[in-house]
Amino acid sequence: MKNYVVKKLIDQKSIEEHVKSVAAQISDYYADKDPIIAIVLKGGFVFAADLIRLLDFPFTIDFVGASSYAGTQSLGDIKFTKDLDKPIVNRHVLLVEDIVDTGLTLYKLIHALKTREPASVNIAAMLVKDIPRPFDLEVAYRGLNIPNEFVVGYGLDYNERHRGLPYIGYVEFPEEK
Ligand code: IMP
Ligand code: MG
């Protein structure tokens, strides 16, 4: 593997403040809806763990894992690596995701879940990369905007490493500088 260093991008205090503000927005909308909070594997679990501890209303936790096939023609192609445990028909679903990069995975996931006729599906993402997207992906609870860098920590990995970092860093390859 290439040499790299991890440089701090977002510190713990900023993450904490951001999670608090998202929790307040989510509470406004979902307090009387008994939502299914669907954590998108794997990266969404750290953000979700902090978020749900700030929510003082009833909800159910579920997990979903999905991978999208790059290079296929149909935007509908998605493979569930872990499907939701329970039906979502007539339920309010909140997907909790680590990062919106191209947004393709979430785009396909949302479409797949909508065919199951939930009452609503929204996205809460911790981070959103500041890049143009060729399709419309509505992120109801937008995370912090970050530049187009590869980031790790707070659930996010590089080759499965660094998910446990309490801050968010970006990966830098010194030989490419
Ligand atoms: P997408 O391009 O938005 O479909 O991203 C799919 C998934 O790739 C995200 O949910 C993350 O798990 C992962 N990913 C995208 N960008 C990064 C990054 O900068 N660091 C770590 N994982 C990433
Ligand atoms: Mg992810």
Side-chain angles (χ1 to χ4, degrees):
M1 202 158 70
K2 284 194 283 186
N3 277 332
Y4 66 93
V5 289
V6 174
K7 302 220 165 152
K8 199 177 270 191
L9 184 65
I10 303 171
D11 64 18
Q12 278 171 267
K13 184 108 188 65
S14 310
I15 293 174
E16 207 180 294
E17 277 167 17
H18 176 69
V19 176
K20 261 190 213 158
S21 97
V22 173
Q25 293 171 55
I26 286 174
S27 301
D28 279 349
Y29 185 71
Y30 288 103
D32 58 354
K33 293 189 170 65
D34 191 9
I36 296 173
I37 297 183
I39 300 164
V40 183
L41 297 171
K42 298 179 187 171
F45 79 107
V46 177
F47 173 40
D50 282 348
L51 188 63
I52 63 165
R53 282 178 289 175
L54 300 174
L55 305 181
D56 187 20
F57 58 82
F59 55 82
T60 304
I61 291 292
D62 207 339
F63 295 90
V64 63
S67 56
S68 53
Y69 299 105
T72 54
Q73 281 109 348
S74 160
L75 274 177
D77 276 356
I78 188 161
K79 184 177 148 224
F80 283 96
T81 52
K82 155 82 182 72
D83 202 346
L84 294 167
D85 285 339
K86 294 270 166 64
I88 58 171
V89 62
N90 294 331
R91 298 290 305 273
H92 293 273
V93 179
L94 178 66
L95 291 166
V96 178
E97 173 65 301
D98 50 7
I99 189 167
V100 179
D101 183 8
T102 66
L104 198 59
T105 315
L106 276 176
Y107 184 82
K108 292 177 178 184
L109 184 58
I110 287 259
H111 278 252
L113 294 181
K114 278 186 176 164
T115 65
R116 301 179 188 181
E117 300 181 358
S120 68
V121 192
N122 283 318
I123 300 170
M126 177 66 204
L127 303 171
V128 178
K129 274 193 200 173
D130 195 11
I131 54 169
R133 294 191 182 81
F135 45 82
D136 214 17
L137 180 74
E138 204 185 311
V139 183
Y141 306 98
R142 281 182 79 87
L144 301 162
N145 275 315
I146 59 161
N148 192 13
E149 300 276 356
F150 195 85
V151 290
V152 294
Y154 202 66
L156 290 143
D157 73 303
Y158 175 51
N159 289 330
E160 292 301 327
R161 303 291 179 197
H162 312 299
R163 291 193 196 273
L165 276 183
Y167 57 88
I168 291 161
Y170 64 96
V171 174
E172 191 176 273
F173 299 94
E175 63 269 33
E176 286 171 12
K177 286 253 112 181

